[in-house]
Amino acid sequence: MTAGEDRLAGGDGGVRRTVLPNGLRVITESLPTVRSAAFGIWAGVGSRDEGPDHVGATHYLEHLLFKGTRRRTALDISAAMDAVGGELNAFTAKEYTCYYARVLDEDLPLAIDVLSDMVTSSLIAPRDVDAERGVILEEIAMNDDDPSDLVHEAFGTQVFGDTPLGRPILGTAESINAITTERIAEHYRARYTPANLVVAAAGSMDHDHVVELTAAAFAQEADHGKGAGPARGPAVPAPPRLGSTSAQAADGTGVRLLSRPIEQANLVLGCGGMARTDDRRFALGVLNAALGGGMSSRLFQEVREKRGLAYSVYSFSGQHADCGQWGIYAGCLPAKAEEVLAICQEEIAKVIETGLTDDELDRGKGQLRGSLVLGLEDPSSRMSRLGKSELVYPRLEPVDEILAEVAAVTHDQVRNVAAEIIGQPKALAVVGPFDDAEAFRRALAS
């Protein structure tokens, strides 16, 4: 298989990108000072891409691709990585899925072969589907037993409604029990095509060698007639996910209460946010850091330090291709829930009315800069940046460019984004020992 022309990607030194004739993209970043390498295969499919007959199929596949191929059993896959002290894992998100490994640089060819084999040649055997069904149901049950996870999931449902973005990534017990091997294999064949996949690698490596190994691994599986492997894709890679043909509004409001006999109330108060490419995202990031992003933030100081009402309180922002969400999480004693909620509402109103102080603006910028740079100090994070950027951004933004955007955020931009985003009507999710949501509805309306 002959690779297409190489080119630099995004202007970052050490980053190279090659598109193979079948549409598969290979992006690497050379880090000569390390002795390890991170390798990932990213699929441009997430839980929001599931139709009614495939709810939970994307995450189900994440499990099944570890269960065996034409060349390897499940034990062979795990033993191969254990034998070299490597890490092997995967995760499913709303808009993409990633299978990744981290190994010593000398073992990178093994990681490429194993992961490529898994992604291209999974058997999707009925016996494995049946076995993993129970495992996934246990995972759903485990998630239901974690109130801090459950409240965020409930908040997403309240904001996005009964849409793919509002449903759990894991699916539901009903959808997992109902889905068939044929439906999962159908999802696999349709979504795991070379043009919809991105190979990303970072660490001690040579780009041309990674391209050669990847091309050979995918070519080895392309002509096999068995299994449920992905069909040959078109020569042109799938475009980045910059929007949706069925855009989903993030405008849900009201209260969603999940009653649980637990010792703590878990609250998420928030609203719809913005798309990941929105120019206002840097101002929102600075605002979010100052309002609820650290120990010096307003929420931490007001709720925990001054009043001792909660152990954990923070604000967060999440973006998708065409919409997003913003919110505040707090965990507190049930008797303190309404007081904590009132304080959060007061702090939101204050920042909308007056914005941030000069010190808060500077701290917010510093927190964003530090978290960005420190978060890219290892090959795994660098690999993730490459793969995610190729799937969901117009280009790979150089780090220095992002830092400059953060540094340029002004008070006016922060006040505007506060009014436009966090000033929207709110949704509230509550998980705790409550039988009636009426008090929370009154508090939300006040």
Side-chain angles (χ1 to χ4, degrees), residues 63-137:
H63 283 242
L64 292 172
L65 265 58
F66 286 84
K67 300 301 289 183
T69 70
R70 288 184 290 269
R71 294 194 288 129
R72 291 181 173 92
T73 65
L75 178 59
D76 292 336
I77 291 170
S78 58
M81 300 305 295
D82 287 347
V84 298
E87 302 172 11
L88 180 66
N89 214 328
F91 64 86
T92 304
K94 296 286 187 178
E95 297 183 326
Y96 46 81
T97 309
C98 177
Y99 303 83
Y100 62 93
R102 187 177 182 188
V103 292
L104 297 178
D105 50 9
E106 64 191 62
D107 297 315
L108 181 58
L110 172 67
I112 293 175
D113 186 54
V114 171
L115 277 172
S116 299
D117 187 28
M118 289 168 52
V119 169
T120 62
S121 303
S122 177
L123 296 177
I124 317 294
R127 65 179 181 278
D128 294 329
V129 172
D130 291 340
E132 285 304 300
R133 197 184 309 274
V135 174
I136 295 171
L137 290 172

Side-chain angles (χ1 to χ4, degrees), residues 417-428:
V417 83
E420 294 163 0
I421 300 299
I422 72 174
Q424 297 179 93
K426 301 295 187 297
L428 174 65

Side-chain angles (χ1 to χ4, degrees), residues 232-427:
R232 292 178 184 271
V236 178
R241 188 194 291 262
L242 301 178
S244 173
T245 55
S246 56
Q248 300 175 53
D251 58 0
T253 59
V255 176
R256 185 175 183 83
L257 169 63
L258 299 181
S259 181
R260 296 289 189 275
I262 54 179
E263 298 298 319
Q264 188 180 55
N266 294 262
L267 314 172
V268 172
L269 172 70
C271 54
M274 62 176 64
R276 67 169 61 88
T277 54
D278 194 306
D279 291 339
R280 301 170 296 170
R281 65 189 183 277
F282 303 106
L284 181 60
V286 172
L287 171 61
N288 203 50
L291 179 63
M295 294 175 65
S296 66
S297 69
R298 291 189 184 187
L299 288 171
F300 192 92
Q301 288 294 312
E302 292 296 327
V303 175
R304 175 168 168 168
E305 292 296 284
K306 292 182 181 180
R307 297 176 174 85
L309 294 175
Y311 175 77
S312 179
V313 57
Y314 58 84
S315 60
F316 63 90
S317 178
Q319 287 84 39
H320 305 301
D322 50 0
C323 56
Q325 57 182 323
W326 176 87
I328 294 171
Y329 167 82
C332 62
L333 291 174
K336 304 294 184 181
E338 292 182 48
E339 183 180 359
V340 169
L341 180 59
I343 294 170
C344 292
Q345 291 173 304
E346 290 170 7
E347 293 305 317
I348 291 172
K350 287 179 185 177
V351 80
I352 291 172
E353 181 179 355
T354 62
L356 303 176
T357 66
D358 289 341
D359 286 345
E360 287 175 326
L361 184 71
D362 290 340
R363 284 202 304 270
K365 291 180 180 181
Q367 187 178 141
L368 278 190
R369 292 197 301 268
S371 62
L372 171 64
V373 175
L374 293 176
L376 293 175
E377 289 293 294
D378 67 89
S380 294
S381 58
R382 291 274 178 170
M383 179 276 292
S384 294
R385 174 173 175 259
L386 298 178
K388 182 177 178 181
S389 292
E390 182 68 22
L391 286 179
V392 301
Y393 286 102
R395 65 188 183 94
L396 178 66
E397 292 181 286
V399 174
D400 287 343
E401 186 176 307
I402 298 174
L403 294 176
E405 292 279 7
V406 172
V409 171
T410 67
H411 280 294
D412 284 343
Q413 290 173 331
V414 169
R415 281 192 291 268
N416 288 340
V417 83
E420 294 163 0
I421 300 299
I422 72 174
Q424 297 179 93
K426 301 295 187 297

